[in-house]
Amino acid sequence: MLITRLKMLPILFILCCLLSYGQHSEPVQLKVVYQVSYNNKAGLNIINDSCVLQVSKTYSTFFSLGNITFGEKMKAEFEKNGYNHTPGEPIQIKTCNTCYKNVYYKKYTNNTTYRVASLMSKKYAYPINQKIGISWQISTDTAIIAGYKCFKAIGTIDTTKYVAWFTIDIPINDGPAFLNGLPGLILEASTNNGISIKTNYLQYLTSTTYLNTVGYNFEITTYENFIKAENYLKQQFQKGNPINMENGATIQRKLDQ
Amino acid sequence: MKKNYLLLILNFLAFFCNAQYNLSGTVKDSALTLVSGASITLHPKNSNIILAYAITNNKGFYNITFNSPLPPDSFYIKANALGFAPQTKNISSFTTTINFSLQKAAFSLPNISVQNTKPALRYKSDTLYYAVDSFKNKQDRTIGDVLKRLPGIEVDANGKISYQGKGISNFYIDGDNLLDDKYNLATTSIDADMVKDVQVLENHQPIKMLRNKTFSDKVAINLNLKDKARLKLMGRANMGTGYANEMVYDAAINLMAFKAQYKAINSFKANNTGKNITTDVISHNIADFLKAIDNHFPQSMLNVNENGNPPIGQDRYLFNKTLLANFNNLFTLKKDLQVKANIYLLSDNRSKDYYSNTYFFLPTDTIAYLQNQFVQATNKTLNIKLNLNSNATNHYINNTLATELTTNNTTASTILNKQNSTQYLQQNFRQFSNDFSFMKFTSSKATLQLNSYIGYLLQPESLQITPGINANIFNNNINYQQLQQQNNIPGFYTNHAAIIGFNKNKIRHSYNIGFSSQNQQLKSQVSILQNNNQWQNLKDSFSNNLQLNRYTIKSNAALEYLGERLKLNVSIPVDYTSIKFNNSNYIFPAADNFKGFLTNPNIMARYAVGTENFVQSSISYSNNMAGIENMYSGFILKNFQQVQNNQFVFNQFNTFSVRCNFNYRKTIKILFANAGASFSKNNSNGISNNIFQNQLQQLLNIPFNNTSNTISAFGGISKYLFTWHTTISFKGNAIFSNGFGMQNNRLIQFKNNSYTAVINISPKINNAINLAFNNTVLLNQSSNSLQPGVTQKILQVNSSVECNYTPTDNLFFTLRADNFYIHKPTNNNTLNYFFADALCTYKLPKKKIDIQLQIQNIANVKEYKNFTINGNTLAETSNIIRPTTLLLKMFFNF
């Protein structure tokens, strides 16, 4: 047991380099529910997900609710493999009841976007601004989306082209996932590789409203430290060393004899 | 647009003579606290275009650099942050510090819940997209239920779909023409939940080679299916039984596939509930098909003189036992190559019990026919159609091989003016045809088209009347047992044509040369069964033996102008027709001939007065010759009451018609409107003389030049009201016609006026309740020269209300009430009928099974009387109505 604990020392060392500790909760001023869809090249719907952006005074969190609905293409694959479900009904799965996927934390005070990820059942946030930064070109195209007048903006990261529709009527430099950097909230976005994000619901909240605290209970680290810790854990796992999870569980790979 | 130009000009000027602006400053609130994350945007004066922007950092600081040749007073800068009122400031110099002090403000923006981000209706490239989910109600089962409610679209009682008053030419399912024009099966089978969009294809040209080369004013509909409809075979079945004076049943099974390579709707239906499933095999565009092959097929000549159907829903008066097996399968072998088989087998037994009093008001007398009739009819039909179609952008091949075998047996027991008789009618129609079309580009990029049609038609008919009637006419006043009429018109028909078309710039000119032939024979014989059981053929005037050979050399030159706004089509067909007529009957000479030119020119013009509006006008003149069924001289006993013959051979008639209409559409407001008028003048060198001889009427076509005119005006408007989730539509028309008829050798001039107004409203009160109102007002006026100063009038007001209530997602209630009001002011006769039906459907959770309880004719109305007028003729009819029917049905989806 002691040996096991001792083997976790490098991880503790790495995580000692945390930049700061968990964030205090602020009332949520604005809640936006986005419908995220992914279509394949033929235009067939693969997967749909509902995600939430919660905007507070100095930061925002974005996360998936974990209610995945499979599109017809994926449904066909399931059916081909004998997945039993009610014909005609959508195939829905709840990926996780207590954890949340695809979590982004944007801190307005230092204009930094963090990706929140789990390691040993604990959440860490590392900044991704250095890796992802979109230089937007605003066009004169306008559209009415969810009742708001929106402007079109086009940006590129590597080979991925992003089209965003934002409204200056909601002057928040934010949007779904890691998208931001525009003088208003992004209500719709799409990419040239089949991802489409649309606003389904938008609600202004009273100043005393606190929503669920997803994304608050994490510790901030650097991207490099997180990757180092993750790789170290992978190595330990490959070697068959037991790994203690934050929730008390232990996982260990059974090595071949 | 102006904004785009402005930006373009700014960028253009900036490129040549840029001056750099450097704007910076801080944003604070009224308490002088720095505001981070505020949006700072730079705009041109009098515009909200964003030229540059910045977001304040955690110290409330911003910086904007921007290149422009324009002076500083051409721009303004705006600061905006959540919870603060926006603030704008002018710019005084190229480099300046502009600080903002924002005032706190309450959120005034509303919460938004976006139910459907897709617009309900959008228009792109001659195609209108109706998002089905936007118009669908909870109780809607099939796409036909939704189509009825789409603004701009109308579905009539037979299931024919019209868009802006024009019938659709093609009905596609995911781009494939599975059913041709027998599309009722699709609208009554395809689940509304399977359809993503209903697409209306305006100016539709089904032949890909001709797209953008010729103008088409046809309209087609395409059902764009959801992905889930394309994945697997689907099925829907229902079984039901109930009681309505006898046991009733209603069963159906539909198997459907809508894959890219294979599409099919195969169905089997049977019922005796009054539901008319033969509408599944109605050809809605048969008139267009006959016009295209340009051959005159004779109609059946014998009947039992059954009255017309009452103007109420067929399910209220139809007593039937119907069975229909309908197979439609389309295979896409490779891109642009398809084979298709459409086969149906129908067995339809119907009965009808009614009485009809018909009055002919003559100057000195009124002739009355008081008739009570019970008709039992059986129809058995096998229809097979095999089609090969290759429709590519560089070639077109289409071949359809078709056959139809029909057997009708009808028995009618009649009491006419207290005289009993029974008619037995047998008809065996056999039709075979092959229709071929080929098209390709020539080396000079002209389109070359070859069409060939070959058809053979046999239609033997036999009518037996018991006991022997009108012995004074048929048997020298000696009583006899039975009267029989037999006739047949076998015919062979061909039509071949070659068309070459040239396109240059906006002009298309095409030339057509062709040949058609009709070789027909008409054989008829009246015979009687004497009391000694011996059959005796009546001679001379009661028999016909005609041979008709008609050959036509066809030519046509057509010119089209395909401008952006103006489309013009001028067509001048000239046909040289030779008719050789040979009659062995004694009245006419042994042979007669007609040789001459017949021309049918027409001009059509369409002018787009806006992006979505157009005016269309057409002028046409047609010159036609009657067919063999209007050439015979010997009597043909059409039914127990009518004999018909002709005093001359070549009944020629021509029609001049003018039509103008205006179509208006505003897609963004979901508003449709159309209005127009038409005039037609018909000249004929013959007229039908109706001679009354006791119980018998002789319909004698005699040579007499006469003219009839028809003027009509029509209009309609259809609008979707977003606030009330309601489609409102109104249409109206007025038709004025005059012409001549002849009765007992006396010429009668008649005038008929008819006015119709229809209003439909289908409001959605809330998520649980929706309603549908329909009100139709019809006024018919008729006057004739035999009764000067007398105008017969009949007013009909039909109102229907349907209420759908869905308290939960699994439970639906429908209540329907129809009221028919008929008023004849002349004798102050008023009739009023009220029908009510109820429906309750329960969906078993997670089982894909629906249970439905249906009660029809709750008030148990037993008969329906009606009046019709035409010239000096008045008819009163009364039909038996189906009794109260209780039906329990189960629906299965698999």
Side-chain angles (χ1 to χ4, degrees):
Chain A
M1 195 69 178
L2 181 63
I3 295 168
T4 308
R5 292 284 179 198
L6 287 174
K7 285 184 177 176
M8 299 309 293
L9 280 176
I11 297 202
L12 296 174
F13 173 76
I14 292 168
L15 297 178
C16 279
C17 303
L18 297 173
L19 298 176
S20 63
Y21 278 90
Q23 308 304 299
H24 66 281
S25 294
E26 286 180 356
V28 174
Q29 295 177 312
L30 177 68
K31 177 186 172 185
V32 187
V33 179
Y34 293 99
Q35 176 77 29
V36 182
S37 308
Y38 174 65
N39 301 325
N40 69 4
K41 283 180 183 173
L44 286 174
N45 183 229
I46 302 290
I47 207 166
N48 299 300
D49 191 9
S50 286
C51 298
V52 176
L53 175 72
Q54 294 183 160
V55 178
S56 299
K57 191 177 177 186
T58 62
Y59 65 88
S60 74
T61 51
F62 176 89
F63 53 90
S64 159
L65 289 172
N67 291 320
I68 304 290
T69 307
F70 290 104
E72 297 305 326
K73 178 72 177 168
M74 289 290 280
K75 224 170 105 177
E77 290 295 321
F78 277 116
E79 285 169 358
K80 208 163 77 179
N81 292 308
Y83 178 82
N84 187 21
H85 80 107
T86 312
E89 292 292 325
I91 297 180
Q92 281 189 318
I93 57 165
K94 179 79 181 173
T95 54
C96 183
N97 283 324
T98 54
C99 57
Y100 293 88
K101 303 289 181 187
N102 301 319
V103 181
Y104 291 90
Y105 170 74
K106 295 182 193 119
K107 197 171 178 180
Y108 299 149
T109 47
N110 62 0
N111 197 23
T112 305
T113 301
Y114 299 87
R115 176 78 195 256
V116 181
S118 295
L119 207 61
M120 295 167 66
S121 292
K122 201 171 176 185
K123 292 193 183 72
Y124 300 95
Y126 54 86
I128 58 168
N129 286 36
Q130 294 86 350
K131 297 183 66 60
I132 301 173
I134 301 178
S135 175
W136 296 101
Q137 292 294 318
I138 299 176
S139 84
T140 54
D141 291 351
T142 60
I144 303 294
I145 296 169
Y148 291 97
K149 183 175 183 179
C150 292
F151 289 90
K152 184 180 179 183
I154 298 169
T156 307
I157 300 175
D158 298 329
T159 57
T160 306
K161 184 182 171 186
Y162 293 82
V163 174
W165 292 87
F166 69 96
T167 177
I168 56 171
D169 294 336
I170 306 174
I172 298 169
N173 163 26
D174 214 327
F178 52 81
L179 299 178
N180 64 355
L182 287 163
L185 183 69
I186 297 170
L187 294 184
E188 267 192 31
S190 58
T191 70
N192 57 351
N193 52 18
I195 294 172
S196 164
I197 304 172
K198 291 182 176 182
T199 297
N200 261 359
Y201 181 71
L202 192 149
Q203 185 185 14
Y204 291 95
L205 301 161
T206 60
S207 60
T208 54
T209 307
Y210 289 83
L211 293 185
N212 65 55
T213 54
V214 60
Y216 301 152
N217 299 320
F218 54 78
E219 293 173 356
I220 292 180
T221 183
T222 63
Y223 174 72
E224 292 74 17
N225 284 345
F226 182 85
I227 295 298
K228 274 183 199 169
E230 193 177 51
N231 288 339
Y232 180 79
L233 267 181
K234 280 180 188 169
Q235 286 168 12
Q236 294 302 312
F237 185 71
Q238 289 294 328
K239 287 176 184 171
N241 293 329
I243 299 168
N244 291 331
M245 307 296 286
E246 183 74 10
N247 59 10
T250 303
I251 58 168
Q252 185 173 18
R253 183 183 173 216
K254 192 175 178 183
L255 296 173
D256 296 334
Q257 296 300 316
Chain B
M1 226 28 212
K2 284 178 182 174
K3 293 169 188 172
N4 291 340
Y5 287 137
L6 182 60
L7 190 69
L8 197 68
I9 292 165
L10 290 174
N11 287 336
F12 184 75
L13 291 172
F15 184 79
F16 288 101
C17 43
N18 280 339
Q20 191 175 58
Y21 284 81
N22 194 342
L23 311 172
S24 59
T26 56
V27 179
K28 295 177 181 173
D29 64 10
S30 51
L32 300 179
T33 308
L34 294 165
V35 178
S36 64
S39 299
I40 312 296
T41 47
L42 181 74
H43 308 266
K45 269 270 160 65
N46 304 320
S47 170
N48 58 7
I49 291 172
I50 302 168
L51 298 173
Y53 71 94
I55 295 157
T56 56
N57 62 15
N58 57 351
K59 293 176 181 169
F61 178 78
Y62 74 90
N63 181 265
I64 291 177
T65 53
F66 174 65
N67 293 327
S68 173
L70 296 176
D73 60 1
S74 306
F75 307 99
Y76 72 94
I77 191 165
K78 183 178 178 183
N80 201 358
L82 197 64
F84 296 92
Q87 192 176 32
T88 58
K89 289 192 174 184
N90 293 326
I91 300 169
S92 54
S93 64
F94 293 106
T95 302
T96 183
T97 299
I98 302 171
N99 296 323
F100 291 92
S101 177
L102 300 181
Q103 300 297 314
K104 287 202 171 179
F107 295 138
S108 58
L109 297 170
N111 295 334
I112 302 291
S113 180
V114 184
Q115 297 293 331
N116 186 0
T117 51
K118 201 165 75 167
L121 185 70
R122 62 201 165 92
Y123 181 74
K124 188 180 174 187
S125 308
D126 279 350
T127 302
L128 203 57
Y129 299 78
Y130 291 86
V132 170
D133 289 342
S134 302
F135 296 96
K136 188 167 143 315
N137 283 338
K138 281 182 183 174
Q139 80 281 0
D140 291 339
R141 183 175 295 129
T142 64
I143 190 64
D145 297 333
V146 182
L147 277 168
K148 288 174 193 166
R149 215 178 301 109
L150 297 183
I153 287 180
E154 194 186 340
V155 183
D156 75 7
N158 283 329
K160 183 175 182 177
I161 303 171
S162 302
Y163 167 71
Q164 287 272 58
K166 186 176 177 64
I168 62 166
S169 64
N170 294 74
F171 187 93
Y172 299 102
I173 302 169
D174 248 4
D176 288 330
N177 183 13
L178 172 65
L179 299 168
D180 288 330
D181 60 348
K182 296 187 181 90
Y183 50 74
N184 283 11
L185 182 62
T187 57
T188 56
S189 302
I190 297 177
D191 200 324
D193 195 38
M194 295 291 171
V195 184
K196 188 177 171 190
D197 297 309
V198 171
Q199 300 174 351
V200 175
L201 316 173
E202 296 182 336
N203 309 324
H204 177 62
Q205 173 52 260
I207 300 173
K208 288 179 187 171
M209 266 184 73
L210 291 178
R211 284 179 190 164
N212 302 319
K213 289 194 160 39
T214 181
F215 173 68
S216 166
D217 64 346
K218 290 179 180 171
V219 179
I221 276 186
N222 179 42
L223 300 183
N224 183 24
L225 301 179
K226 291 179 181 171
D227 290 341
K228 63 182 176 184
R230 300 174 178 137
L231 292 171
K232 57 175 186 177
L233 292 172
M234 288 177 295
R236 187 180 180 85
N238 71 267
M239 287 193 321
T241 185
Y243 190 76
N245 286 355
E246 59 172 357
M247 289 300 290
V248 292
Y249 59 86
D250 184 358
I253 181 164
N254 290 309
L255 298 170
M256 294 174 278
F258 301 114
K259 297 186 175 187
Q261 308 299 322
Y262 172 59
K263 287 192 173 60
I265 304 181
N266 295 314
S267 81
F268 178 87
K269 296 181 180 178
N271 80 76
N272 68 345
T273 58
K275 192 162 76 176
N276 184 11
I277 52 178
T278 63
T279 53
D280 280 3
V281 290
I282 285 181
S283 284
H284 292 297
N285 297 327
I286 188 72
D288 292 341
F289 171 73
L290 293 174
K291 192 178 172 187
I293 61 172
D294 198 15
N295 258 303
H296 184 88
F297 296 110
Q299 299 294 310
S300 65
M301 299 183 71
L302 309 185
N303 56 58
V304 293
N305 201 24
E306 189 180 331
N307 78 324
N309 291 325
I312 58 176
Q314 216 168 4
D315 54 347
R316 301 216 179 276
Y317 63 83
L318 182 65
F319 290 84
N320 70 318
K321 281 182 186 169
T322 313
L323 189 150
L324 175 65
N326 194 349
F327 308 98
N328 302 279
N329 293 271
L330 181 146
F331 300 88
T332 301
L333 303 179
K334 59 180 185 178
K335 190 172 180 276
D336 301 326
L337 179 64
Q338 296 180 328
V339 289
K340 183 170 64 176
N342 302 94
I343 300 168
Y344 72 80
L345 184 65
L346 171 70
S347 171
D348 188 24
N349 298 296
R350 296 183 179 206
S351 63
K352 190 172 176 183
D353 195 355
Y354 72 97
Y355 75 78
S356 166
N357 300 334
T358 310
Y359 303 93
F360 296 89
F361 299 104
L362 301 176
T364 55
D365 198 6
T366 297
I367 295 173
Y369 291 104
L370 310 178
Q371 176 177 310
N372 198 331
Q373 196 170 46
F374 178 65
V375 182
Q376 285 181 296
T378 304
N379 168 266
K380 292 187 193 311
T381 301
L382 171 66
N383 184 298
I384 301 172
K385 204 168 175 187
L386 306 173
N387 174 265
L388 171 80
N389 180 280
S390 178
N391 190 2
T393 50
N394 59 354
H395 73 272
Y396 175 76
I397 300 170
N398 188 70
N399 193 78
T400 305
L401 181 67
T403 183
E404 184 170 290
L405 312 175
T406 304
T407 300
N408 293 322
N409 292 317
T410 308
T411 306
S413 304
T414 313
I415 304 170
L416 177 67
N417 294 346
K418 297 182 181 174
Q419 186 180 348
N420 289 318
S421 67
T422 302
Q423 299 174 85
Y424 179 58
L425 174 66
Q426 282 181 296
Q427 295 168 312
N428 289 297
F429 300 148
R430 306 282 182 266
Q431 187 173 354
F432 307 92
S433 68
N434 191 73
D435 192 6
F436 172 75
S437 191
F438 170 77
M439 191 183 289
K440 69 171 292 184
F441 289 113
T442 64
S443 55
S444 57
K445 292 290 175 195
T447 55
L448 176 67
Q449 185 176 1
L450 302 173
N451 296 331
S452 172
Y453 174 84
I454 299 169
Y456 182 69
L457 179 65
L458 262 176
Q459 43 186 36
E461 299 175 276
S462 156
L463 176 70
Q464 288 149 16
I465 302 164
T466 310
I469 57 168
N470 296 304
N472 57 329
I473 297 170
F474 297 106
N475 203 26
N476 297 321
N477 262 333
I478 302 168
N479 284 340
Y480 63 100
Q481 284 190 49
Q482 197 177 74
L483 180 64
Q484 180 175 270
Q485 170 74 60
Q486 288 177 304
N487 69 295
N488 189 9
I489 312 180
F492 186 69
Y493 307 84
T494 67
N495 187 9
H496 313 284
I499 306 157
I500 188 160
F502 303 90
N503 281 74
K504 189 171 184 183
N505 299 326
K506 293 176 179 176
I507 304 284
R508 175 179 171 83
H509 48 113
S510 61
Y511 308 92
N512 179 349
I513 186 98
F515 172 77
S516 75
S517 68
Q518 293 172 24
N519 303 100
Q520 295 170 307
Q521 197 176 16
L522 191 157
K523 279 188 175 178
S524 76
Q525 179 65 55
V526 179
S527 49
I528 57 175
L529 181 65
Q530 297 290 7
N531 285 335
N532 60 5
N533 288 332
Q534 294 293 312
W535 279 104
Q536 179 189 344
N537 284 348
L538 300 185
K539 290 183 180 170
D540 299 333
S541 58
F542 287 101
S543 68
N544 288 288
N545 187 4
L546 275 67
Q547 178 71 40
L548 180 80
N549 296 316
R550 174 175 175 149
Y551 303 101
T552 306
I553 297 170
K554 302 179 176 194
S555 66
N556 184 19
L559 182 70
E560 281 183 69
Y561 174 76
L562 306 164
E564 290 294 320
R565 282 176 171 264
L566 177 68
K567 318 275 187 205
L568 185 70
N569 187 325
V570 181
S571 172
I572 309 169
V574 178
D575 299 346
Y576 177 76
T577 300
S578 164
I579 302 175
K580 288 184 180 176
F581 174 81
N582 196 325
N583 185 11
S584 63
N585 190 281
Y586 80 106
I587 292 180
F588 288 112
D592 201 350
N593 291 322
F594 171 88
K595 285 181 182 175
F597 286 95
L598 299 174
T599 181
N600 305 298
N602 63 73
I603 301 172
M604 192 277 287
R606 177 185 281 196
Y607 184 75
V609 291
T611 50
E612 297 188 277
N613 318 319
F614 65 85
V615 179
Q616 185 167 319
S617 296
S618 62
I619 302 173
S620 66
Y621 177 82
S622 66
N623 202 330
N624 293 295
M625 192 79 78
I628 194 167
E629 69 269 36
N630 291 101
M631 291 182 176
Y632 58 90
S633 56
F635 290 107
I636 287 182
L637 187 69
K638 292 178 77 69
N639 52 59
F640 76 113
Q641 202 181 349
Q642 292 172 324
V643 291
Q644 186 171 5
N645 67 331
N646 303 280
Q647 266 190 1
F648 72 123
V649 178
F650 298 118
N651 185 0
Q652 219 172 329
F653 49 92
N654 56 58
T655 305
F656 170 76
S657 60
V658 182
R659 181 188 163 98
C660 183
N661 62 292
F662 172 65
N663 276 35
Y664 177 86
R665 189 186 64 227
K666 192 89 176 171
T667 304
I668 200 160
K669 294 187 174 178
I670 313 188
L671 173 65
F672 299 82
N674 67 83
S678 69
F679 167 75
S680 70
K681 182 176 184 175
N682 302 286
N683 293 309
S684 174
N685 63 349
I687 196 167
S688 177
N689 185 9
N690 191 354
I691 302 164
F692 301 97
Q693 298 179 354
N694 297 326
Q695 306 293 357
L696 203 62
Q697 294 174 47
Q698 183 191 355
L699 307 173
L700 177 66
N701 281 328
I702 60 169
F704 178 82
N705 285 328
N706 68 95
T707 301
S708 62
N709 300 300
T710 304
I711 299 173
S712 70
F714 51 88
I717 185 164
S718 184
K719 169 91 178 91
Y720 184 77
L721 303 174
F722 290 94
T723 325
W724 298 346
H725 302 283
T726 302
T727 301
I728 295 183
S729 61
F730 170 82
K731 70 170 185 176
N733 68 52
I735 302 170
F736 310 95
S737 61
N738 62 60
F740 292 92
M742 193 174 273
Q743 285 171 355
N744 283 351
N745 302 315
R746 184 190 290 267
L747 193 66
I748 306 168
Q749 190 173 9
F750 64 84
K751 282 184 186 173
N752 290 330
N753 296 340
S754 139
Y755 309 89
T756 310
V758 182
I759 186 162
N760 285 299
I761 306 174
S762 51
K764 190 174 177 179
I765 307 298
N766 54 38
N767 278 337
I769 300 173
N770 63 74
L771 305 171
F773 300 96
N774 170 280
N775 209 59
T776 304
V777 180
L778 175 67
L779 175 64
N780 280 320
Q781 295 177 333
S782 191
S783 59
N784 65 85
S785 55
L786 297 182
Q787 299 170 291
V790 177
T791 301
Q792 298 273 4
K793 288 182 189 174
I794 290 177
L795 173 69
Q796 292 182 29
V797 182
N798 305 340
S799 310
S800 72
V801 182
E802 186 178 297
C803 176
N804 296 291
Y805 175 52
T806 53
T808 68
D809 284 346
N810 293 345
L811 192 60
F812 310 123
F813 292 99
T814 299
L815 280 171
R816 195 173 64 211
D818 296 333
N819 193 75
F820 297 90
Y821 170 85
I822 306 151
H823 180 61
K824 188 155 73 75
T826 326
N827 334 38
N828 205 20
N829 271 355
T830 299
L831 301 169
N832 202 65
Y833 296 95
F834 178 79
F835 297 96
D837 311 309
L839 198 73
C840 174
T841 308
Y842 179 68
K843 290 166 86 82
L844 291 179
K846 298 181 180 176
K847 294 251 173 166
K848 291 290 171 189
I849 296 174
D850 299 358
I851 300 172
Q852 189 180 78
L853 181 67
Q854 187 180 336
I855 310 173
Q856 199 147 6
N857 192 7
I858 296 171
N860 202 18
V861 178
K862 293 187 187 313
E863 68 168 353
Y864 178 87
K865 283 185 188 172
N866 193 28
F867 303 109
T868 53
I869 52 170
N870 185 15
N872 64 329
T873 309
L874 169 70
E876 298 173 356
T877 54
S878 173
N879 284 72
I880 302 292
I881 296 297
R882 291 187 67 87
T884 302
T885 305
L886 194 68
L887 191 65
L888 184 68
K889 288 168 86 172
M890 287 185 80
F891 294 84
F892 307 91
N893 289 307
F894 48 91

